[in-house]
Amino acid sequence: MSNVETILPSQWLGMVGGGQLARMFCYAAQRMGYKVAILDPDHFSPAGAVADKHICAAYDDTAALQQLAELCPAITTEFENVPAQSLNRLAEHSRVTPSGEAVSVVQDRIREKQFISKAGVPVVPHCVVHSMEDLLKADAALFPGILKAARFGYDGKGQARVQTKEQALEAFANFGQVACVLESLQPLEDEISVVVARSLDGKTAIYTPSHNQHRDGILAVSTAANPCRLTPYHEQAKTAAIAIAESLNYYGVLCVEFFVLADGTLLANEIAPRPHNSGHFTIEACLSSQFEQQVRVMAGLPLGSPQDLQLSKMFNLLGDLWFDEHGHHQEPNWSALLALPGVYLHLYGKNEARKGRKMGHVTLLAPNAKQLQAKALQVAEILGFDWYE
């Protein structure tokens, strides 16, 4: 984009969505002097409690979209399942980053994989499934595999591990025979993600890749690698993430998740057209956070520095922590947690703890890997993470 107009502090920025990512965006924007209006249908949304204005309406509500566009010269979104046509409608009046077209590509796993491959980045071996016949014809090399619904899947939802074609047919039927992608299971050595910000003038800022560990399809722990000890596949991932952002003509903050195979092969898994859970470490661990970058891009400001200040590790806090082994409500031991130096607690203001629900996260900082691991073990013991070693 040329001749980009800068939106100065004291003006309004818009956000479609009211979850925890929007809440953290509000904090970053307000710290920089902006006012934030959010559009979200939930009266008790996490961001609604902290935004300067909450337009409580559906994401496709014509009057609400008009109100947001008239108030905000720049608008962004916090999640990929917002109707792309709503972003396109907002773009008739306001600067929208990322664009509705960019978001629409990653709303559908089929289009997403086709796009990533076209951008020259390898993806997991897979086949597109529109019918039972497609599964019957699927290459035997794709089994065992994972059947994923093409749309509206996140945190392990809309996915099923399948060992055989019979299991795949059953899972496809359980999904209501919606369009799917069948991916072959890979011998994973690592799972990493890369967060990149791309400004309106095409410049990029990229963060240290993070090593991710999942439990039940949900990110559990994310560790930002030492930038002085990045492996060749970390550098390859950074190059691939920038290539994807440029090919997508993307403006804003983008995360690309990668699989690293046992032989060192790097495969792109998914794109998130927004700040990402694995990038929360940037709030305390970097000079400019992923949320500050989101503000800077939409306002037409120069990108901030992604430089690490210290090594970091992030634990997701799921609603399970609020219940004991008998299912009775209990509050986690925040006092013991916050007695540790270099530990930062983020709670998202959600009014009800439920198992599997992201309620917050905690970030740990340390000057070296040994101290970081020691601190992580202390945090895990306090929070009762008996699975963490």
Side-chain angles (χ1 to χ4, degrees), residues 164-220:
T164 63
K165 287 189 178 183
E166 290 71 24
Q167 290 183 6
L169 291 166
E170 181 181 354
F172 185 58
N174 290 337
F175 288 167
Q177 299 191 34
V178 298
C180 291
V181 171
L182 174 65
E183 300 177 359
S184 67
L185 282 175
Q186 299 295 305
L188 299 186
E189 181 71 20
D190 200 358
E191 294 183 59
I192 64 173
S193 58
V194 177
V195 174
V196 58
R198 185 165 185 261
S199 64
L200 298 175
D201 59 4
K203 294 180 180 178
T204 57
I206 194 158
Y207 291 97
T208 298
S210 59
H211 161 73
N212 301 322
Q213 298 165 267
H214 294 80
R215 286 180 61 80
D216 300 323
I218 302 175
L219 181 65

Side-chain angles (χ1 to χ4, degrees), residues 182-346:
L182 174 65
E183 300 177 359
S184 67
L185 282 175
Q186 299 295 305
L188 299 186
E189 181 71 20
D190 200 358
E191 294 183 59
I192 64 173
S193 58
V194 177
V195 174
V196 58
R198 185 165 185 261
S199 64
L200 298 175
D201 59 4
K203 294 180 180 178
T204 57
I206 194 158
Y207 291 97
T208 298
S210 59
H211 161 73
N212 301 322
Q213 298 165 267
H214 294 80
R215 286 180 61 80
D216 300 323
I218 302 175
L219 181 65
V221 188
S222 185
T223 305
N226 188 331
C228 298
R229 296 182 179 177
L230 295 183
T231 67
Y233 69 75
H234 282 109
E235 294 299 334
Q236 185 183 349
K238 291 168 71 172
T239 300
I242 291 174
I244 287 171
E246 291 177 345
S247 297
L248 196 54
N249 200 26
Y250 189 92
Y251 302 107
V253 176
L254 175 84
C255 178
V256 185
E257 298 177 69
F258 295 93
F259 292 148
V260 183
L261 306 190
D263 64 0
T265 301
L266 187 78
L267 301 175
N269 178 32
E270 292 181 353
I271 304 171
R274 52 173 171 77
H276 193 259
N277 200 170
S278 66
H280 290 343
F281 75 93
T282 64
I283 298 174
E284 283 88 21
C286 299
L287 288 174
S288 296
S289 76
Q290 61 174 348
F291 300 101
E292 180 181 323
Q293 302 284 34
Q294 191 177 22
V295 174
R296 286 170 174 263
V297 172
M298 64 191 299
L301 295 169
L303 292 175
S305 170
Q307 179 182 331
D308 296 279
L309 298 171
Q310 283 194 308
L311 303 188
S312 63
K313 190 179 293 284
M314 186 277 299
F315 286 94
N316 259 337
L317 304 178
L318 302 183
D320 309 57
L321 292 176
W322 276 255
F323 300 91
D324 63 20
E325 62 271 20
H326 304 295
H328 300 139
H329 183 271
Q330 65 176 9
E331 193 72 14
N333 191 349
W334 304 130
S335 294
L337 183 73
L338 294 174
L340 300 175
V343 172
Y344 301 87
L345 176 65
H346 296 257

